Every structure is written in C-alpha cells, then in structure tokens.
Amino acid sequence: MRESDYQFIRNLVYERSRINLGPDKRELVAARLGKRLRAMQLASIADYCSFLRTDKAQDEVANLIDAISTNHTFFFREGHHFEYLRSTILPELAGRRRAECWPALRVWSAASSTGEEPYSLAITLAEVLPALAADWGWRIDATDISHRVLDRARAAIYTEESVVGHVPPMLVTKFFQRGFGPQAGNYRVKSSLRERVTYSHLNLIEGPFRFPEPFQFIFCRNVMIYFDRQTQEELVARLAGQLVPGGYLLVGHSESLTGIRHPLTLVAPAIYRRPPAAKA
Ligand SMILES: C[S@@+](CC[C@H](N)C(=O)[O-])C[C@H]1O[C@@H](n2cnc3c(N)ncnc32)[C@H](O)[C@@H]1O
C-alpha cells in the first residue's frame, strides 16, 4: 500500500469513527482490506481509495470501518466487572429503585460487538435480579458502529468453543440451546434472554445520544482505547450524561480514565460512578 493511500484511509477512518490508526498499522490495514477488494472486484488499494473519493462511497465507508476495526470479545470478559455487578452494583440499585422511582433497570452495552458482552450482562441480571427485586423489569440496549457485528449479535449463535470455554456449565444449560443438523456444534442464546436485548447502530462519536431514559449503568469497554485523548474526554462526558445520578460506567481495564478530565468518581478498578444527586 502506498503511503499516500494509507494516509488517506487513516484520515477517513479517523474522521468517521475517531479510530486512530497508528503509523505501524499499515500492513494490518492492507491485509484487512483484501476482503473488500475481492468483494468489490478491485485490483488494488489505489483503486479502492479512488472509489472512496467518489460520491458513491457513502455506504462503503461503513464497510471500511468494519474491515479495519477489531471486534474481539468473549463471554464474561474481564470477569471482575461481572463479580462487582453481582456483589455491589445490583444490590445497591435494587435497594434504591423505589425511592428513585425507577420502573425498570436500564443498561447500555456501548460497542457491544458480536453480542457476548450484552448476553453476559443478560445472564447476570437473569440470575441475580429475581432474588433482589423480582418485580423489577430490565432491558439492555446494545449498540455498535459495525452492521456486520450487530447482525451476528442479533442471531446470537456461537461456537461451542466460545460458549463452553467461558460460560459456567450450569449457565450454559440454563441459557443456551444446543444446535442440531446444520447447527450441530453451535449454541444459541435462548429467546428469554434475546428478547431483553435491543441492538442498534450507533457511532459513539456522532451527534447527541437519543435514548428515551437514562441508564443505571453503562458498559463501554475496549473501544475507547482506539480513540485519542480529546475524543475519550468528550465521550466520557457524554456517557456520564446518559447515567442516572449515582449510576455506573464500566470501562475496559486497559482504559483507565487517569489523565483525562471527567465528572465521575473511581469506585473500583475500571468502574466509575456518577455522583449521586445532592439531598434537598
Ligand atoms: C474490541 S470490541 C469490544 C467489545 C466489548 N465491548 C468487549 O469489551 O468485549 C470494540 C467494538 O467497538 C466498535 N467500535 C469501534 N469504533 C466505534 C465507534 N466510533 N462507535 C461505536 N462502536 C465502535 C467496534 O465495531 C467493535 O465491535
């Protein structure tokens, strides 16, 4: 790939997603674009860049971001977050729900990738909430910039390795169906959990968020790492604005907010809290 083409791709990706591709990512980007070239029957990255410069390229930019972004995820990733949710966040929120007049628990998995994170949250809520607040409804909004991963998340079909390797056997039996026929070897999340999760397309760096109600907690993990500091700062402020007072923001363990200005309080590693409302 020519340096000028790489710079063009780098700038376009940054402009649209704030994903900051370092100078060392040139080979990786070239390798990942191979699939796009084949799909579009183009002979070279130079041809691909020429196409991206045309008016017809609007939809292709989404495919470009899809091709170069990393969607790596797995069930119960960073298990400490799910432990803290069980032991501290959920009991605390359930205790406050009547005083705060929260008719339902609302959760956002921002940058949800192929669905392992929101379904891990759904499993945790289905397991823990009945004993804490049996009559309390709950829903999960899950969003990502990539249409491809959203489609996979909606389908909720996972390989045996990705399920059995990360989900305790008792929970596999309770919340997954084993595939048969052409789906033998795969597992599908049961509909009782699937119908609790709504997937939609959302670019975290664009426009105001338009959710109807604030969230009690937000998981926004392993995506900010690709953004520069200013973008991180703006994003954290906007995420904080989507939380109820006293709500929680959980970020990836390598995404400490140290060094950026934000309105939240650190309560545990990679777990932040919006200050509760002052009592009148
Ligand atoms: C590494 S995955 C993290 C998945 C999950 N949160 C986890 O921690 O396992 C990062 C996800 O961020 C998404 N992403 C990247 N840039 C984004 C943006 N600007 N807005 C929304 N999602 C974005 C990618 O499509 C990808 O699915």
Side-chain angles (χ1 to χ4, degrees), residues 90 93-94 96-108 125 129 133-141 196 212-217 242-244:
L90 291 175
L93 293 172
R96 282 168 59 205
R97 75 192 165 112
R98 291 197 204 284
E100 304 275 357
C101 302
W102 292 330
L105 171 66
R106 299 197 66 245
V107 175
W108 180 12
L125 297 184
L129 279 186
D135 58 338
W136 202 22
W138 55 273
R139 288 214 58 80
I140 298 173
D141 277 294
R196 298 275 195 166
E213 306 275 343
F215 296 97
Q216 277 77 22
F217 63 89
Q242 297 299 308
L243 287 171
V244 297

Side-chain angles (χ1 to χ4, degrees), residues 16-19 65-66 69-74 77-78 109-114 117 143-146 149 202-205 219-223 226-227:
R16 295 301 187 83
S17 70
R18 290 291 185 278
I19 296 174
I65 293 170
D66 250 25
S69 66
T70 301
N71 307 116
H72 178 67
T73 184
F74 51 90
R77 180 179 195 178
E78 301 185 3
S109 166
S112 53
S113 190
T114 38
E117 179 179 281
T143 63
D144 201 281
I145 196 173
S146 159
V149 297
L202 182 144
N203 184 345
L204 286 168
I205 62 141
F219 271 48
C220 184
R221 308 187 309 163
N222 304 302
V223 61
Y226 305 113
F227 301 155

Side-chain angles (χ1 to χ4, degrees), residues 162-207:
S162 63
V163 174
V164 174
H166 298 283
V167 183
M170 215 181 68
L171 300 180
V172 175
T173 313
K174 203 162 164 185
F175 295 111
F176 290 82
Q177 286 168 304
R178 276 181 95 118
F180 52 87
Q183 289 294 350
N186 288 337
Y187 285 72
R188 188 169 197 208
V189 177
K190 285 189 180 170
S191 61
S192 57
L193 290 190
R194 290 200 316 267
E195 60 205 21
R196 298 275 195 166
V197 186
T198 307
Y199 288 97
S200 33
H201 179 258
L202 182 144
N203 184 345
L204 286 168
I205 62 141
E206 271 176 4

Side-chain angles (χ1 to χ4, degrees), residues 28 38 40-41 85 101 110 114 133 157 190-191 207 209 235 240:
L28 181 80
R38 284 191 292 282
M40 297 173 71
Q41 301 185 331
L85 199 56
C101 302
T114 38
I157 297 170
K190 285 189 180 170
S191 61
F209 298 134
L235 176 58

